[in-house]
Amino acid sequence: MEALRPLPRTLLRDRAYTAIRDAIVTGEIEPGAVVRDAEFAERLGLSRAPVREAFARLVDEGLLESKPQSYTRVTPVVAADVRDAAAVVGAMHELATRAAVPRLRDADLAGMRTANDRFAAAVRAGDVDEALRADDELHDVLVRASGNRAAAATVARYTPLIRRLERRRFGEGGSCRSAGLHERLIEACAAGDTEAAVRVTADIWNTLAELADDDTTD
């Protein structure tokens, strides 16, 4: 009967946060759309309290904006915000890569290779959801191996801002990050060449800053 116990309040809040965040990132909830706690509570099968807590977190992370007693709505995709997020996330990935390379095991490298194969196949097929999932999985190997929880938390907080622009550009016929850059990263990691791995990581995240620079939304 253990499975029938009520979910802890924190899990309900996290469930609401994840569902709403993902809907914003995928564009299911479009920029500028007004969101209401009562509506989302009904859709998610939750009370309004965890939805309100999720809204507050998403406001703090820049995916929602709120005017007290007036509205809560999805923020626009702003190139300057994406550039700032890419700079922070890139720095955290470089830090994680530097710490992770000496700790990587064969299983970690195999996981990165498998993720990159999936990434390349998804890009060829035009499957943006799968491409971004595989991309996350590849880089998460290094973040986990680094053991740096602060870096992991920062990456988790700011990556959704970047993903919204990536998804939009991909849908407009733009390109995702290069599987070739991933291959160079994996080769450097396999060789134990920390400095080379950090340089490639910087190149990968610089492409995202350039993506924001090319965007017309400011």
Side-chain angles (χ1 to χ4, degrees):
M1 301 296 290
E2 185 75 17
L4 297 180
R5 295 176 64 183
L7 286 171
R9 181 180 179 84
T10 54
L11 293 184
L12 295 177
R13 177 195 62 206
D14 291 346
R15 175 184 164 193
Y17 164 79
T18 299
I20 299 166
R21 179 203 64 195
D22 290 351
I24 293 171
V25 171
T26 61
E28 179 183 345
I29 310 173
E30 297 181 350
V34 173
V35 295
R36 299 176 177 85
D37 55 10
E39 176 187 347
F40 278 88
E42 182 177 357
R43 289 173 62 181
L44 296 171
L46 301 172
S47 69
R48 293 169 72 174
V51 173
R52 289 194 194 107
E53 292 173 9
F55 279 4
R57 183 174 172 185
L58 290 162
V59 168
D60 186 51
E61 294 180 359
L63 291 174
L64 293 178
E65 57 187 4
S66 182
K67 182 177 180 180
Q69 309 303 320
S70 183
Y71 61 78
T72 300
R73 65 189 180 193
V74 178
T75 57
V77 179
V78 179
D81 293 342
V82 176
R83 283 194 295 270
D84 290 346
V88 171
V89 171
M92 292 301 98
H93 276 290
E94 290 178 47
L95 180 67
T97 298
R98 188 175 297 281
V101 171
R103 303 180 181 185
L104 292 174
R105 301 167 299 175
D106 289 344
D108 296 320
L109 295 168
M112 293 175 72
R113 292 187 179 101
T114 298
N116 196 37
D117 288 343
R118 287 176 41 228
F119 173 83
V123 170
R124 288 194 297 270
D127 187 342
V128 62
D129 291 321
E130 177 62 13
L132 294 180
R133 277 195 296 268
D135 185 75
D136 282 338
E137 288 179 18
L138 188 154
H139 292 285
D140 282 350
V141 171
L142 293 168
V143 174
R144 288 195 304 270
S146 76
N148 190 322
R149 290 189 293 178
T154 303
V155 166
R157 173 171 179 164
Y158 290 107
T159 296
L161 288 171
I162 304 167
R163 291 304 194 209
R164 287 207 293 169
L165 180 57
E166 282 189 287
R167 291 184 62 86
R168 188 174 75 185
R169 293 299 296 274
F170 195 104
E172 293 170 350
S175 60
C176 262
R177 275 175 270 176
S178 167
L181 281 174
H182 287 161
E183 290 172 3
R184 286 172 49 202
L185 174 61
I186 295 167
E187 289 171 2
C189 289
D193 190 338
T194 300
E195 294 305 320
V198 171
R199 286 195 298 271
V200 178
T201 298
D203 288 343
I204 288 170
W205 290 94
N206 283 340
T207 63
L208 287 177
E210 292 167 2
L211 184 69
D213 288 338
D214 290 341
D215 195 73
T216 58
T217 305
D218 271 307

